[in-house]
Amino acid sequence: MNAQVTKNYFEDNYYTLLAGYAAGNLSEAESMIVASHLTFKPDARRLVSQMEAIGGSLLCHKLAPETLSPKCFDNVMEHLDNGIQDTSPANKNQNPGDTDFDFPVPEPVKRYIRAQKKALKWKTVFKGLDVCEIPLSSSHKTEFLKIAPGKGVPAHTHQGEEITLLLHGAFEDETGRYEQGDLIIVDERISHHPVSDPEVGCVCLSVTSAPIKMTGPLMRLLNPFLK
Amino acid sequence: MLKNDYIEKLKPSSSFILFYKTECEKDDLYNASYGTRIEDLTRPVEDAPETSFEDLLHKVGASRDKQAFISVFEYFAPRIKSFLMRSGMSPDQSEELVQETMLSVWHKADNFDSSKAAASTWIYTIARNKRIDFLRKHSRPEPDPNDPFFQKSHEPPQDENLTMDQNAAAISEAMKDLPEEQVALVQKAFFEDKTHQDIAQETKIPLGTVKSRIRLALKKLQDSLDGVNEQ
């Protein structure tokens, strides 16, 4: 474990990630993994509700109110008697992709898998480590990692942030043992070497901030040179 | 239709509405009377009505009480606009979302449960979700209580309706005791659409320190809740 990592490292990362979720400032991939963690952990849900209460309190007492144009009030009053207009983006559930897995997949992840046009594909990185990417956003890489019993991921550091959620089994690294529902957040300040449980192995969901990828029609041509 | 017409229709009874109407009748105070920028933020819940927002929301939910809704609107709409503008939206876009938020408040008020959240928390989360829908064009991933993997809480359900209300008050009290720079950091984290890396760069404070300070400030605010819940 690196020297500059203080004892509060994990708590800081955890708190600020949950605060980002409560504040609505996370990317879609990060929000999804946090929502999955909350599925397993009632205490974490309680923490998030408290942070939302802090948001509500800041809203009331720390923001100077902005003057509204008169039409803002009028428009609202005119629409009160109309039915509910749900303007939130529809969840695309039309494509019931394969959501049968031999490990627990919480609903916030399943929602995205259902929206995929193509079936997900597993790849073997080396014997004992299989990965399956869920294409979800350009700023983050989201994937399942399946680690065979007693196998490890080679020691690695992180360029950005790596958030890992234990879905099944357990793993251990220099910092401790992690089980179902646990969330581990590491960034460039740390290097670690996770090894899965010798009996059951483990399956994780991982979200890593990846280098920016050009997606425009012309810029895409540049990608081979950027690698 | 002008605001005064609504108020006529609603047969004003509370002193708040009467005050409001008088203000409107004085020259052109129409704008000034709702949502004037108030610089003195140390004033206690300025322009808040006497009835609690929780009670007002219950009235909206139970009997579609427009007068109660107007009181909620008066207080929260200008603040929601402020919240949205801080996260980088234009005044026009902000007002669009203020309208959507307030309409959701009206339509969803019968789901409001004051044993689960204070009115301010509930309205804040609606505005926040509207902002996510708008900026990110996706709806916010949330845990699903019907998910077979959803672990139910073992804590006894809150039986005191007042608790969440008191929680909000406790947080506001505790906020006064926080050093200004910590409040500023928490505000940045909540209201400006920024990652912690962005905040670190902007404030020239190392990322680890930014995260530590945000955690410490949040922890202090949360500790104030333990005091309430143990009483």
Side-chain angles (χ1 to χ4, degrees):
Chain A
M1 170 108 84
N2 319 36
Q4 72 265 39
V5 172
T6 67
K7 66 182 166 62
N8 290 327
Y9 176 85
F10 288 99
E11 228 185 329
D12 286 350
N13 278 344
Y14 184 68
Y15 250 77
T16 48
L17 184 72
L18 292 196
Y21 180 77
N25 289 338
L26 301 183
S27 71
E28 198 167 2
E30 290 171 314
S31 280
M32 179 196 73
I33 200 168
V34 172
S36 303
H37 167 65
L38 299 181
T39 301
F40 292 109
K41 299 284 179 181
D43 287 350
R45 292 201 295 274
R46 190 163 162 265
L47 214 52
V48 168
S49 324
Q50 291 180 346
M51 287 173 179
E52 289 171 340
I54 292 171
S57 194
L58 289 166
L59 178 72
C60 288
H61 304 299
K62 290 287 170 186
L63 288 185
E66 286 288 337
T67 308
L68 296 169
S69 64
K71 73 172 188 329
C72 186
F73 177 84
D74 293 342
N75 285 348
V76 170
M77 295 310 285
E78 267 166 37
H79 284 93
L80 289 191
D81 297 323
N82 297 351
I84 297 174
Q85 291 178 318
D86 193 359
T87 50
S88 61
N91 294 335
K92 296 167 198 148
N93 282 352
Q94 301 90 333
N95 188 345
D98 184 9
T99 55
D100 286 337
F101 293 92
D102 55 358
F103 54 88
V105 179
E107 195 52 40
V109 188
K110 277 193 177 155
R111 196 181 111 185
Y112 288 100
I113 296 173
R114 279 189 215 106
Q116 297 300 322
K117 291 197 177 75
K118 291 180 186 165
L120 298 180
K121 274 189 193 147
W122 286 87
K123 281 190 297 195
T124 302
V125 179
F126 53 80
K127 199 171 182 303
L129 174 67
D130 293 315
V131 299
C132 169
E133 187 173 352
I134 309 167
L136 196 149
S137 80
S138 52
S139 64
H140 289 78
K141 188 174 194 177
T142 307
E143 55 193 355
F144 291 125
L145 276 79
K146 205 182 260 187
I147 311 175
K151 295 278 183 179
V153 175
H156 59 288
T157 53
H158 306 90
Q159 274 206 319
E161 209 165 53
E162 179 190 70
I163 310 169
T164 308
L165 173 71
L166 253 286
L167 295 172
H168 170 74
F171 81 62
E172 271 183 49
D173 68 7
E174 295 85 338
T175 62
R177 181 182 164 87
Y178 300 95
E179 293 174 354
Q180 189 183 63
D182 289 340
L183 199 64
I184 310 100
I185 308 136
V186 290
D187 58 25
E188 66 272 8
R189 293 178 287 162
I190 199 172
S191 136
H192 73 151
H193 178 212
V195 177
S196 77
D197 182 274
E199 300 291 322
V200 289
C202 73
V203 183
C204 316
L205 178 68
S206 142
V207 168
T208 40
S209 45
I212 297 166
K213 208 171 168 183
M214 307 294 184
T215 51
L218 278 172
M219 296 308 276
R220 200 181 291 140
L221 296 172
L222 283 173
N223 273 334
F225 305 103
L226 292 172
K227 274 176 189 166
Chain B
M1 194 190 279
L2 278 176
K3 194 166 191 178
N4 278 346
D5 301 336
Y6 287 110
I7 292 160
E8 290 299 344
K9 266 191 181 175
L10 294 167
K11 292 179 192 152
S13 59
S14 81
S15 56
F16 166 74
I17 295 288
L18 286 176
F19 162 78
Y20 181 81
K21 199 176 164 219
T22 341
E23 287 296 294
C24 286
E25 280 164 357
K26 280 186 208 165
D27 42 62
D28 192 17
L29 277 173
Y30 185 77
N31 275 323
S33 63
Y34 70 115
T36 312
R37 173 179 276 273
I38 295 161
E39 296 298 346
D40 179 12
L41 295 178
T42 54
R43 276 167 53 180
V45 274
E46 68 287 313
D47 68 355
E50 280 173 26
T51 322
S52 78
F53 289 118
E54 285 73 16
D55 289 344
L56 290 171
L57 285 179
H58 285 311
K59 280 185 187 168
V60 174
S63 54
R64 310 275 88 189
D65 183 334
K66 287 190 181 172
Q67 199 173 300
F69 178 74
I70 290 175
S71 301
V72 174
F73 184 99
E74 292 294 329
Y75 184 80
F76 282 99
R79 288 173 169 78
I80 296 167
K81 183 177 176 189
S82 181
F83 158 50
L84 296 168
M85 282 177 62
R86 270 179 158 248
S87 67
M89 296 174 68
S90 72
D92 284 352
Q93 285 172 334
S94 302
E95 287 205 358
E96 284 281 315
L97 286 203
V98 167
Q99 291 174 33
E100 281 188 24
T101 303
M102 293 315 297
L103 282 171
S104 284
V105 167
W106 171 260
H107 288 300
K108 292 180 178 172
D110 48 350
N111 298 332
F112 171 69
D113 179 350
S114 57
S115 70
K116 290 199 175 128
S120 58
T121 312
W122 188 69
I123 294 173
Y124 166 71
T125 57
I126 293 176
R128 174 202 63 193
N129 292 356
K130 291 283 175 200
R131 191 188 60 147
I132 297 175
D133 291 351
F134 177 84
L135 291 178
R136 315 251 201 272
K137 307 266 189 292
H138 69 79
S139 41
R140 171 186 172 80
E142 284 185 344
D144 176 358
N146 299 318
D147 190 339
F149 302 114
F150 189 87
Q151 303 279 323
K152 297 215 167 38
S153 170
H154 297 300
E155 277 180 42
Q158 303 276 6
D159 51 1
E160 283 251 356
N161 265 12
L162 278 172
T163 311
M164 289 302 143
D165 201 3
Q166 290 169 344
N167 276 357
I171 289 174
S172 306
E173 267 314 297
M175 201 125 43
K176 289 182 191 154
D177 298 332
L178 278 188
E180 202 42 52
E181 83 250 14
Q182 284 190 11
V183 177
L185 217 48
V186 171
Q187 266 184 271
K188 260 189 201 306
F190 269 89
F191 293 134
E192 293 173 21
D193 192 26
K194 284 180 178 143
T195 64
H196 302 113
Q197 281 89 344
D198 295 337
I199 296 176
Q201 273 176 2
E202 191 186 291
T203 55
K204 302 204 166 56
I205 301 171
L207 177 62
T209 314
V210 167
K211 288 184 173 183
S212 280
R213 287 192 187 162
I214 292 176
R215 176 179 61 86
L216 287 175
L218 290 175
K219 250 205 149 132
K220 274 186 213 159
L221 296 176
Q222 285 170 330
D223 286 347
S224 70
L225 296 179
D226 295 339
V228 174
N229 296 331
E230 277 159 18
Q231 274 168 21

